[in-house]
Amino acid sequence: AQRVTQPEKLLSVFKGAPVELKCNYSYSGSPELFWYVQYSRQRLQLLLRHISRESIKGFTADLNKGETSFHLKKPFAQEEDSAMYYCALTGGYNKLIFGAGTRLAVHP
Amino acid sequence: DAGVTQSPTHLIKTRGQQVTLRCSPISGHKSVSWYQQVLGQGPQFIFQYYEKEERGRGNFPDRFSARQFPNYSSELNVNALLLGDSALYLCASSALGESRTDTQYFGPGTRLTVL
C-alpha cells in the first residue's frame, strides 16, 4: 500500500535551533517525494521535490530508499518557518498521497 | 493571475442534500485535481482531470463525481451528503498533469459543513 507517515503532529523549537521533520513512506517502485508547506492563512504550496535536489529557504531533504525516509532539515530555524508541513509522494500522474502533517512552531 | 480560484468559500448543507463545488485553474493549465482534507489530516486525493478526461480516481464512493469543462474549469459534485463529508475541499491545477515534472498549485479551498 502507498502510504506517507509523519510521526510528529507538532515540533516546537527555538529560533536558531536545527530542525528535522520526519517523513517515512511505503511505496512499491521508484517514488517521487515532495514537501508541501502551508503558512498561516495561505495556500498549500510546494516547498521542494526530491528530484530537484535543491535547497529552498534553507531547507533540504534527502531521499533514503533503504530507510524509506525523506526527512526535511534546516540547520537554523527562523520564526518565519512556523507553518504546517506535509510530506507527499506521487502515486501516478497528479495523484499526491499526503501525510497527516507536522506543525512546526519556532519560538523567539 | 489570481492563481487557482474556488467557489464558494464556505458552504453549509444538511444530510442527504447535494453540493457542487467549482474550481478555475491557472490560465494555461490543463489539469485539475480535487482533494478532501478532513480536520487534522492531510489532503486525500479524490479525482484528477486532464484535457476534460478523468485520469485518476481515489478511494471515494460513487456519490462523488466531477467533470472538466472546455475552458478547463472543473466541478466536484457530492450527492446524498453525510456528516463525514464535512471537510475542506481543495482544487489544484497543473500545466501537464504529471507530478514528476509539473508543480501542482492549490486553491484556497471550499469549507463544506454538513449538519
Side-chain angles (χ1 to χ4, degrees):
Chain A
Q2 301 167 348
R3 186 183 299 121
V4 175
T5 303
Q6 294 179 252
E8 303 143 327
K9 284 193 180 298
L10 172 67
L11 184 62
S12 187
V13 302
F14 286 103
K15 177 183 174 181
V19 169
E20 182 178 51
L21 299 168
K22 290 182 167 46
C23 172
N24 290 90
Y25 67 90
S26 172
Y27 186 83
S28 55
S30 295
E32 295 291 335
L33 275 296
F34 307 83
W35 277 98
Y36 278 78
V37 62
Q38 187 166 26
Y39 300 102
S40 178
R41 287 185 285 278
Q42 292 189 27
R43 304 175 184 203
L44 191 62
Q45 59 185 290
L46 178 66
L47 179 62
L48 57 81
R49 63 177 77 202
H50 96 270
I51 198 171
S52 300
R53 305 184 72 82
E54 57 189 347
S55 172
I56 304 294
K57 298 185 179 183
F59 284 98
T60 59
D62 291 319
L63 179 61
N64 185 322
K65 292 186 178 180
E67 297 183 357
T68 60
S69 68
F70 188 57
H71 303 327
L72 184 67
K73 300 177 183 179
K74 185 170 183 177
F76 308 103
Q78 303 298 316
E79 289 181 66
E80 55 265 30
D81 296 328
S82 295
M84 196 74 186
Y85 290 81
Y86 294 95
C87 181
L89 64 80
T90 183
Y93 295 111
N94 258 3
K95 177 182 179 181
L96 287 171
I97 298 167
F98 286 90
T102 297
R103 179 167 299 282
L104 175 64
V106 182
H107 303 285
Chain B
D1 196 338
V4 178
T5 59
Q6 293 186 241
S7 63
T9 305
H10 297 88
L11 206 50
I12 299 175
K13 293 285 188 178
T14 57
R15 281 178 296 174
Q17 286 189 311
Q18 176 263 342
V19 69
T20 298
L21 310 181
R22 296 176 176 82
C23 172
S24 292
I26 291 172
S27 178
H29 284 191
K30 298 182 178 180
S31 175
V32 169
S33 299
W34 288 94
Y35 293 82
Q36 180 196 64
Q37 187 172 19
V38 174
L39 196 63
Q41 298 182 20
Q44 188 172 359
F45 175 79
I46 308 176
F47 286 111
Q48 185 207 351
Y49 277 77
Y50 179 72
E51 286 280 18
K52 302 177 286 294
E53 292 194 2
E54 181 182 304
R55 198 182 243 187
R57 171 186 284 255
N59 188 23
F60 280 81
D62 292 343
R63 299 185 296 107
F64 289 76
S65 63
R67 56 180 174 169
Q68 187 177 32
F69 299 98
N71 66 354
Y72 301 110
S73 67
S74 177
E75 287 182 352
L76 175 69
N77 294 284
V78 187
N79 294 321
L81 285 167
L82 303 174
L83 295 179
D85 295 331
S86 295
L88 181 68
Y89 288 84
L90 296 170
C91 173
S93 79
S94 71
L96 299 175
E98 175 53 68
S99 285
R100 293 175 184 268
T101 53
D102 260 359
T103 295
Q104 289 195 61
Y105 295 87
F106 283 82
T110 293
R111 172 74 62 189
L112 172 64
T113 302
V114 182
L115 302 177

